[in-house]
Amino acid sequence: MPIMNRHLVGFRCIRCDGRYPVADYPEGCPRCLAEAFPASVVPVYDESLPPLRFGGPRNGMRRFADRLPYGDYDSLGEGDTPLVALPRLAGELGLESLHLKLESANPTGSHKDRMSAQFVARAKDRGAPAVIAASSGNAGTSLAAYAGLAGMPCTIVTTRAISPPWRRALIMSGAEIIYAEDSLERWVIVRRKVREEGYASATNYLDPPVGSDAWGVEGYKTLGYELAEDGEAAAADVVVVPTARGDLLWGIYHGWSEAIAGQLVATMPRLVAAEPFPRLQAVMQGADLHGHFPGQSSLVSIAGPTVTYQAFEAVRRSGGTAVAVTQGAAEADQLALARSGLYLELSSVAPLTALRRLMDQPGSTIRRAVLIATSHGYKEPAS
């Protein structure tokens, strides 16, 4: 069985700072939920938590195990992904340096493995009857793989638009697939499974939404650690992240903040959310955080009409911004990256497209940039 971190003492709301005991909060902070303002919670550790350390053997996310909810968990070797230099593209953009964090090097081909490892450990430890997620892509395939590793039943609620490679991965991993009419109906099905049958949900099912399961999202802070640890990444002016509801964006902010608190790095770069149409960008300009922002795009991994408080806060606290990109521009950048040896999922290309838009703004001071590539392109169907 997974072993919980003995230093974990509770959870804290990122909005109201409410404190809660060690338990499961799939709907975020109870107080904020009662106020119709869903907000995420994060784990709290006691003062004897070992200090964050960089360096040493690279053995994936496990090297940060003493700062995660579960130090002993079923692992496929997630974490410690490459930071790849892109000098040719840097020259084309007029940058001093451009690097890409290749999260497609994780076991199931995406960043979601960092979350799944911790989430499944929690679900197994508390004796959940099954794990579940609303997903049409990376989250579902990752969760199915880690559930299979842990010997847990897994249900993925998706739509019939799911690509054949993703669907086959779910079937091969032994997951049950439930088809919904659209993305929002997926949440209705997941919510019923959680509230009526005790399933553990890795993903949001509220509208307005909250971030994904707090136990799992904590795994993403290891990406923040890895970026802050690398001198090239630590020197960046911006880190550009493909963003839907901001789990990864928050995780990078959270992990980097801990590195600053531990005096391992001095400053944090601006975090930039790359999105397929204006959502968070609209909120940053004054729109209602809880509104719906409909749009159509083939950037399916970061699609959806909603924004979370955690995404807004990660951008705001880091002095960053949000940039909407067009599908056509992203497709052109997908080809440009493929010709540089990196065939990425279209959603993973959005950071490069967003960076181009930032560089085109008058008075841009960006000289060094890091792009987060969340998944490779081999899962996507041929267009």
Side-chain angles (χ1 to χ4, degrees):
M1 287 295 291
I3 299 175
M4 189 187 301
N5 191 331
R6 63 185 178 86
H7 298 286
L8 181 64
V9 294
F11 285 80
R12 174 183 61 82
C13 175
I14 67 171
R15 175 174 175 258
C16 73
D17 203 41
R19 303 302 172 104
Y20 301 99
V22 174
D24 296 281
Y25 301 95
E27 300 179 5
C29 170
R31 183 189 303 168
C32 290
L33 186 64
E35 296 174 359
F37 201 121
S40 301
V41 296
V42 294
V44 176
Y45 304 90
D46 63 31
E47 294 181 357
S48 62
L49 180 71
L52 178 61
R53 292 186 177 88
F54 288 162
R58 298 296 182 98
N59 63 338
M61 201 168 80
R62 277 191 183 278
R63 67 190 175 103
F64 301 118
D66 58 359
R67 300 185 66 87
L68 293 171
Y70 283 88
D72 187 3
Y73 59 92
D74 293 311
S75 172
L76 290 171
E78 58 289 328
D80 276 332
T81 53
L83 187 72
V84 181
L86 301 173
R88 189 172 70 199
L89 278 173
E92 292 175 8
L93 290 168
L95 293 168
E96 292 177 15
S97 71
L98 177 64
H99 288 79
L100 186 145
K101 184 67 166 170
L102 200 59
E103 285 292 281
S104 61
N106 280 303
T108 75
S110 87
H111 67 296
K112 297 290 185 179
D113 294 346
R114 296 179 188 263
M115 179 175 76
S116 294
Q118 288 292 301
F119 169 75
V120 170
R122 173 58 185 171
K124 186 174 182 179
D125 187 30
R126 76 172 176 88
V131 295
I132 192 169
S135 173
S136 295
N138 292 314
T141 54
S142 177
L143 181 60
Y146 279 81
L149 177 66
M152 290 199 70
C154 176
T155 297
I156 302 300
V157 186
T158 187
T159 69
R160 295 196 180 275
I162 185 173
S163 80
W166 272 318
R167 182 171 60 245
R168 177 170 171 78
L170 295 178
I171 293 169
M172 293 294 288
S173 297
E176 175 192 14
I177 302 175
I178 297 177
Y179 293 102
E181 289 299 316
D182 55 46
S183 61
L184 293 180
E185 189 194 6
R186 298 179 309 173
W187 293 356
V188 175
I189 296 170
V190 173
R191 182 164 60 243
R192 184 172 65 248
K193 289 285 190 181
V194 172
R195 292 179 177 176
E196 297 178 8
E197 300 180 44
Y199 279 40
S201 177
T203 57
N204 167 74
Y205 54 78
L206 298 178
D207 187 13
V210 71
S212 295
D213 179 83
W215 296 82
V217 171
E218 188 77 345
Y220 286 141
K221 73 179 185 181
T222 61
L223 180 50
Y225 293 163
E226 291 173 26
L227 291 169
E229 179 182 34
D230 190 291
E232 295 286 357
D237 300 306
V238 295
V239 174
V240 194
V241 187
T243 300
R245 279 168 289 279
D247 295 328
L248 184 60
L249 192 69
W250 174 265
I252 293 171
Y253 166 78
H254 189 35
W256 211 304
S257 296
E258 290 187 7
I260 291 173
Q263 300 183 332
L264 295 171
V265 66
T267 60
M268 181 184 300
R270 288 173 282 152
L271 300 182
V272 177
E275 52 186 7
F277 39 82
R279 292 175 312 216
L280 184 55
Q281 178 179 310
V283 172
M284 301 297 292
Q285 295 168 352
D288 182 7
L289 176 70
H290 297 143
H292 276 207
F293 306 90
Q296 296 294 323
S297 175
S298 293
L299 283 74
V300 294
S301 290
I302 54 174
T306 56
V307 173
T308 59
Y309 181 74
Q310 67 175 2
F312 174 76
E313 281 296 286
V315 167
R316 184 188 68 82
R317 296 184 193 184
S318 68
T321 189
V323 178
V325 304
T326 66
Q327 180 177 322
E331 288 171 345
D333 279 331
Q334 187 179 41
L335 180 60
L337 282 168
R339 296 291 168 85
S340 295
L342 295 165
Y343 176 41
L344 303 177
E345 180 187 3
L346 190 59
S347 297
S348 293
V349 173
L352 175 57
T353 314
L355 178 62
R356 290 189 193 275
R357 289 199 59 191
L358 289 174
M359 295 292 294
D360 286 341
Q361 293 179 0
S364 172
T365 59
I366 299 171
R367 293 293 176 265
R368 295 172 172 268
V370 172
L371 312 176
I372 307 299
T374 45
S375 178
H376 60 65
Y378 301 105
K379 301 174 187 176
E380 289 187 319
S383 59

